C-alpha cells in the first residue's frame, strides 16, 4: 500500500487516488514511416520490466488528474523519488536490456 | 517408484504410516544434461515429465531457486477451463483439459481434479453478446459450453443473488461443465514424482544466475550452488521472473511482471459446488474441499516482483464477491497472499524459441496458466525434444509482436484465471 506524494497537489495521498501507467520515458519514433516491423513491435509491446529501480508514469486520477513520474523499486516497492513531467530522474533504473532501436533514427531502424 | 493404491494405504496403516518411501530423490547435479529446465513450477515439472515419458529424453535436470511448486503454482486459485475465444488458444487449453481428464491415473497421484463446472457471468447486454459469441466459437471447436439465462444460473447457484434489482444484475452466463478446480500442490508433486522416477534430477534451492552462450548458442547455465551446468538445450519456465532471466541472455520479452493476489476465508459448510467468475464486477470464487472460499480478482496495476500487493485491490475483490453473494458478508477471511504474474499484451503465453540457438522460453501465462499446466508441459517438451515448435505452440511465438499476429484473449482471460 503506497502513500504517494503528488508533485502538483503537493500532498501525500492514498494509492487508490492514483493510476499506474507503466514504464516512463518511452521515446516515440521520430520517423514512424520508415520503421521496420521489429522496431515497431519493440516500441509498442516490449518493456524493460526491471527487478529493482523502475522509472514509471503515474496519474493522479481522482485528484488533479495530472501525470507525473516516479522512481520505484519493483522488488521492495520503496518509492525513491517523484518528479514532474519535463524533469529528469536522479536515481538510475535497474539494469535492463535496452530497446535495440532506442533512438529510433530511421537509418538504424532500416538497417536491422 | 512405489505405486500408490488403496491397498497400499491399508498396508501402510499397519505400520502407522512410518515406512512411506520418499517421493523424490535429492540429487547432486551432474556436469551436463541433454536438457536443463529452469524453474520447478508446475509447467517446468510437467515439461520434464513429458520429456522423459513421451520423448525418451531422461538426461534432464530441473533447476529451482526455491522449493518445487513454490511460485505461482502454489499461489493460484486453481480454476481449470478451456473456453477461450480464438482457435489458437482454445486448442491449446483444450489439449490441456484432455490431459487433466486422465492426469491422476497417468501420474498415479491424486491431483483432485474436480470437474464441477465453471460459470462466467454476464451483467450487461454487451456481456451477453460476447458470451454468446464465445460459447458458439467454443462449440464449433468441439469444446463444451452452454448459454444460460439468469434463471438457469440461479438453479446452479441458489445462494447467489440473481435478482433483477441488483446494481449489476446477473443476466446469464456461459457454463462449461468440464471446467473445475484441481489441487495445485498435488499437480506439482505428482509431476515431480513422475519425472524423478523416470530419471530426471530435481535440483532445489539453486538459482540460475546466467547463461553460457557461445557464438549465439546456449551451452549451459550458471548456477548459485553448483557453478556451470552444461546443457544441450535450455527451457526457461520461470513465470514472473522470465524478464529477469531473459535479461541474463541479453533478450527482451513482451511481458511485464505484476503482483496478483488471492485470499481464502475460514472454512464453512458446503455452500458453493461450482466456480463462479465475473469479468464485469471483477471477481471470482469457489469453495475448496476444506470448506474455505477461494477468492481472487485482478492484478495490482503497477509492476512488481514482491509477491505481495496493495490493500485497495483486496477491498475491490471482496466487494465484487459481496455484490454477487451478499450472504458471504459475515464470513471472515483467513489468509491472503500474492504471486508474480507475467502478463503479455494479448493475454496469451509465449512458447517460443529465441534469437539464441537452443534457448527456449515458456512463459507469459500471466494470471491464468495453472489450467494449462499439463498441456503447456506437453507441447513444450515436444518442442524441446524435436527442436521444432509443436503445432499447438507455433502461434505463441515471440515473433507475433513483430508480425502483428496477436491472439487477443482479453475477453476470455479478463479477470478470468
Ligand atoms: C493469485 C493467483 C491466482 C491465480 N489463479 C489462477 C487460476 O485460478 N487458474 C489458472 O489457470 N491460473 C491461475 N494463476 C496463474 C498460474 O498460477 C500460473 O500461470 C502458473 O502457475 C504458472 O506456472 P509456472 O510453473 O510457469 O510458474 P511458477 O509456479 O511460478 O514456477 C516458476 C518457478 O521458477 C522459479 N525461478 C524463478 N527464477 C528462477 C531462477 N533464476 N532460477 C531457478 N528457478 C527460478 C521460481 O522459484 C518458481 O518456482 C494464478 C496466479 C496467481 C498468482
Ligand atoms: Zn494531484
Amino acid at each position: 500500500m503506497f502513500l504517494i506524494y503528488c508533485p502538483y497537489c503537493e500532498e501525500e495521498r492514498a494509492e487508490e487516488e492514483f493510476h499506474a501507467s507503466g514504464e516512463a520515458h518511452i521515446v516515440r519514433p521520430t520517423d514512424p514511416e520508415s520503421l521496420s516491423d521489429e522496431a515497431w513491435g519493440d516500441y509498442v509491446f516490449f518493456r524493460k520490466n526491471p527487478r529493482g529501480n523502475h522509472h514509471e508514469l503515474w496519474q493522479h486520477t481522482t485528484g488533479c488528474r495530472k501525470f507525473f513520474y516516479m522512481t520505484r523499486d519493483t522488488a521492495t516497492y520503496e518509492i525513491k523519488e517523484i518528479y514532474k513531467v519535463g524533469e529528469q530522474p536522479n536515481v538510475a533504473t535497474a539494469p535492463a536490456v535496452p530497446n535495440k532501436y532506442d533512438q529510433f533514427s530511421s537509418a538504424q531502424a532500416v538497417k536491422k | 517408484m512405489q505405486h500408490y493404491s488403496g491397498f497400499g494405504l491399508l498396508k501402510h496403516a499397519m505400520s502407522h504410516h512410518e515406512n512411506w518411501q520418499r517421493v523424490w530423490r535429492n540429487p547432486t547435479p551432474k556436469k551436463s544434461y541433454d536438457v536443463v529446465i529452469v524453474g520447478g513450477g508446475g509447467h517446468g515439472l510437467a515439461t520434464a515429465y513429458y520429456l522423459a515419458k513421451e520423448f525418451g529424453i531422461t538426461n534432464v535436470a530441473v533447476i529451482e531457486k526455491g522449493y518445487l511448486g513454490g511460485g505461482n503454482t502454489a499461489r493460484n486459485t486453481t480454476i481449470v477451463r478451456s473456453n477461450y475465444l480464438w482457435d489458437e488458444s482454445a486448442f491449446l487449453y483444450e489439449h490441456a483439459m484432455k490431459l487433466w481428464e486422465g492426469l491422476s491415473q497417468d501420474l498415479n497421484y491424486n491431483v483432485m481434479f474436480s470437474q464441477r463446472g465453471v460459470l462466467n457471468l454476464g451483467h450487461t447486454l454487451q456481456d451477453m453478446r460476447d458470451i454468446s459469441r464465445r460459447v458458439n466459437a467454443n462449440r464449433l471447436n468441439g469444446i463444451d459450453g452452454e448459454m444460460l439465462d439468469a434463471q438457469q444460473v440461479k438453479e446452479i447457484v441458489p445462494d447467489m443473488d440473481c435478482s433483477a434489482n441488483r446494481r449489476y444484475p446477473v443476466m446469464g452466463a456461459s457454463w462449461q461443465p468440464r471446467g473445475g478446480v484441481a489441487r495445485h500442490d498435488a499437480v506439482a508433486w505428482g509431476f515431480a514424482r513422475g519425472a524423478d522416477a523416470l530419471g530426471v534430477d530435481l535440483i532445489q534451492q539453486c538459482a540460475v544466475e546466467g547463461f553460457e552462450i557461445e557464438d549465439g548458442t546456449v551451452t549451459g547455465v550458471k548456477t548459485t550452488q553448483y557453478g556451470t551446468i552444461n546443457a544441450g538445450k535450455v527451457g526457461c519456465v520461470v513465470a514472473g521472473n522470465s524478464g529477469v532471466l531473459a535479461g541474463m541472455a541479453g533478450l527482451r520479452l513482451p511481458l511485464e511482471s505484476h503482483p496478483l493476489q488471492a485470499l481464502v476465508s475460514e472454512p464453512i459448510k458446503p455452500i458453493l459446488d461450482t466456480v463462479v467468475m465475473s469479468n464485469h464486477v471483477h471477481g471470482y470464487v469457489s469453495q475448496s474441499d476444506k470448506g474455505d472460499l477461494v477468492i481472487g480478482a485482478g492484478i495490482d496495476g503497477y509492476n512488481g516482483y514482491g509477491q505481495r500487493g496493495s490493500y485497495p485491490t483486496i477491498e475491490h475483490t471482496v466487494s465484487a464477491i459481496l455484490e454477487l453473494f451478499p450472504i458471504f458478508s459475515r464470513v471472515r477471511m483467513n489468509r491472503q497472499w500474492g504471486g508474480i504474474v507475467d502478463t503479455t499484451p494479448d493475454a496469451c503465453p509465449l512458447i517460443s524459441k529465441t534469437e539464441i540457438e537452443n534457448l527456449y522460453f515458456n512463459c507469459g501465462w500471466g494470471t491464468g496458466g495453472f489450467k494449462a499446466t499439463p498441456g503447456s508441459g506437453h507441447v513444450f517438451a515436444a518442442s524441446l525434444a524435436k527442436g521444432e515448435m509443436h503445432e499447438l505452440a507455433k502461434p505463441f511465438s515471440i515473433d507475433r509482436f513483430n508480425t502483428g499476429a496477436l491472439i487477443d484473449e482479453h475477453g476470455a482471460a479478463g479477470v478470468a484465471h
Side-chain angles (χ1 to χ4, degrees):
Chain A
M1 169 85 195
F2 299 115
L3 272 181
I4 298 174
Y5 178 84
C6 172
Y8 300 101
C9 298
E10 300 183 342
E11 258 178 50
E12 267 189 348
R13 298 288 185 86
E15 175 187 334
E16 256 200 306
E17 292 191 14
F18 299 86
H19 180 78
S21 304
E23 184 179 324
H25 309 304
I26 297 171
V27 185
R28 211 183 147 70
T30 43
D31 188 5
E33 304 293 307
S34 63
L35 281 198
S36 64
D37 287 351
E38 253 200 312
W40 259 126
D42 216 291
Y43 166 66
V44 177
F45 296 118
F46 289 66
R47 297 290 170 264
K48 292 204 180 79
N49 192 31
R51 184 179 183 124
N53 289 341
H54 186 216
H55 295 148
E56 307 181 322
L57 185 64
W58 285 71
Q59 189 187 11
H60 194 182
T61 26
T62 64
C64 64
R65 300 202 52 79
K66 287 187 179 152
F67 284 95
F68 60 91
Y69 295 126
M70 179 189 293
T71 309
R72 191 179 58 90
D73 187 321
T74 59
T76 64
Y77 295 178
E78 188 190 346
I79 296 173
K80 298 288 175 68
E81 61 179 342
I82 298 242
Y83 52 105
K84 292 181 184 170
V85 170
E87 293 174 358
Q88 289 303 314
N90 292 315
V91 182
T93 187
V97 181
N99 184 329
K100 270 187 281 185
Y101 316 95
D102 237 356
Q103 296 315 309
F104 285 107
S105 83
S106 46
Q108 199 184 8
V110 173
K111 242 191 299 164
K112 289 285 166 182
Chain B
M1 185 175 81
Q2 205 167 32
H3 188 81
Y4 291 158
S5 65
F7 177 72
L9 201 58
L10 274 178
K11 198 182 82 187
H12 279 286
M14 304 296 188
S15 54
H16 308 283
H17 296 293
E18 281 169 0
N19 295 319
W20 285 100
Q21 181 195 40
R22 280 193 181 273
V23 183
W24 50 75
R25 298 164 295 132
N26 203 7
T28 312
K30 298 186 253 179
K31 278 268 154 296
S32 166
Y33 291 92
D34 294 341
V35 180
V36 164
I37 303 295
V38 187
H43 289 227
L45 293 165
T47 306
Y49 172 74
Y50 289 115
L51 267 174
K53 177 161 178 272
E54 302 269 319
F55 305 99
I57 301 179
T58 54
N59 186 24
V60 175
V62 177
I63 301 183
E64 164 57 49
K65 75 170 172 183
Y67 58 92
L68 299 177
N72 290 347
T73 299
R75 295 159 192 270
N76 84 91
T77 46
T78 78
I79 299 172
V80 176
R81 58 189 179 89
S82 61
N83 54 355
Y84 282 68
L85 176 65
W86 300 103
D87 292 356
E88 294 86 348
S89 27
F91 293 152
L92 182 62
Y93 289 102
E94 179 62 16
H95 180 56
M97 180 67 91
K98 295 217 169 84
L99 290 170
W100 276 115
E101 287 173 330
L103 197 60
S104 291
Q105 278 71 28
D106 182 33
L107 293 175
N108 177 235
Y109 201 95
N110 187 4
V111 299
M112 296 166 74
F113 181 46
S114 156
Q115 293 178 293
R116 57 184 68 180
V118 173
L119 285 166
N120 292 88
L121 303 179
H123 304 268
T124 66
L125 281 176
Q126 188 56 45
D127 274 1
M128 294 313 293
R129 289 186 201 110
D130 291 342
I131 287 173
S132 134
R133 178 182 179 209
R134 184 164 46 75
V135 168
N136 282 313
N138 293 157
R139 295 177 70 119
L140 286 169
N141 279 329
I143 295 168
D144 60 322
E146 285 164 47
M147 280 286 285
L148 305 184
D149 63 24
Q151 188 52 41
Q152 291 167 307
V153 173
K154 181 91 192 159
E155 278 160 23
I156 294 176
V157 194
D159 290 304
M160 183 161 62
D161 189 344
C162 292
S163 50
N165 62 1
R166 299 292 297 173
R167 183 170 175 197
Y168 303 106
V170 174
M171 297 181 73
S174 73
W175 170 239
Q176 185 179 23
R178 284 159 70 238
V181 291
R183 172 80 202 281
H184 47 11
D185 295 328
V187 174
W189 299 336
F191 276 121
R193 171 171 169 268
D196 174 84
L198 294 166
V200 172
D201 284 351
L202 307 173
I203 315 296
Q204 301 184 63
Q205 306 292 332
C206 173
V208 167
E209 53 180 8
F211 295 99
E212 298 289 352
I213 297 171
E214 282 167 27
D215 299 331
T217 302
V218 70
T219 59
V221 294
K222 296 178 198 157
T223 69
T224 49
Q225 299 301 311
Y226 303 102
T228 295
I229 298 177
N230 298 322
K233 288 176 186 153
V234 178
C236 302
V237 203
V238 296
N241 283 297
S242 297
V244 177
L245 206 66
M248 295 173 193
L251 301 171
R252 294 222 300 173
L253 294 177
L255 49 81
E256 287 192 287
S257 301
H258 287 274
L260 177 64
Q261 307 187 66
L263 56 163
V264 292
S265 74
E266 60 190 338
I268 55 176
K269 288 194 173 155
I271 188 166
L272 182 61
D273 63 358
T274 184
V275 180
V276 176
M277 320 183 69
S278 165
N279 279 3
H280 196 89
V281 303
H282 214 76
Y284 60 88
V285 57
S286 66
Q287 187 173 23
S288 76
D289 293 352
K290 273 189 300 185
D292 26 16
L293 298 173
V294 182
I295 294 173
I299 55 171
D300 281 64
Y302 46 84
N303 289 32
Y305 284 90
Q307 293 189 320
R308 62 196 161 86
S310 299
Y311 291 119
T313 307
I314 302 172
E315 197 176 337
H316 290 159
T317 306
V318 170
S319 52
I321 298 308
L322 290 188
E323 177 65 29
L324 303 171
F325 292 94
I327 193 174
F328 292 160
S329 65
R330 308 291 283 275
V331 176
R332 282 165 301 197
M333 291 302 139
N334 213 359
R335 288 181 294 122
Q336 166 276 336
W337 65 90
I340 317 167
V341 296
D342 40 344
T343 60
T344 60
D346 62 356
C348 277
L350 307 168
I351 315 174
S352 188
K353 296 190 178 192
T354 63
E355 291 164 28
I356 292 164
E357 195 67 27
N358 294 340
L359 180 63
Y360 295 64
F361 271 83
N362 179 359
C363 58
W365 291 95
T367 60
F370 176 70
K371 64 174 74 61
T373 305
S376 157
H378 184 263
V379 299
F380 198 47
S383 309
L384 285 163
K386 306 217 165 106
E388 191 195 330
M389 297 314 291
H390 186 280
E391 276 310 312
L392 291 175
K394 273 184 188 155
F396 297 94
S397 127
I398 298 171
D399 279 358
R400 71 180 188 271
F401 294 97
N402 297 128
T403 63
L406 271 59
I407 306 160
D408 181 6
E409 281 294 356
H410 282 287
V415 248
H417 298 315

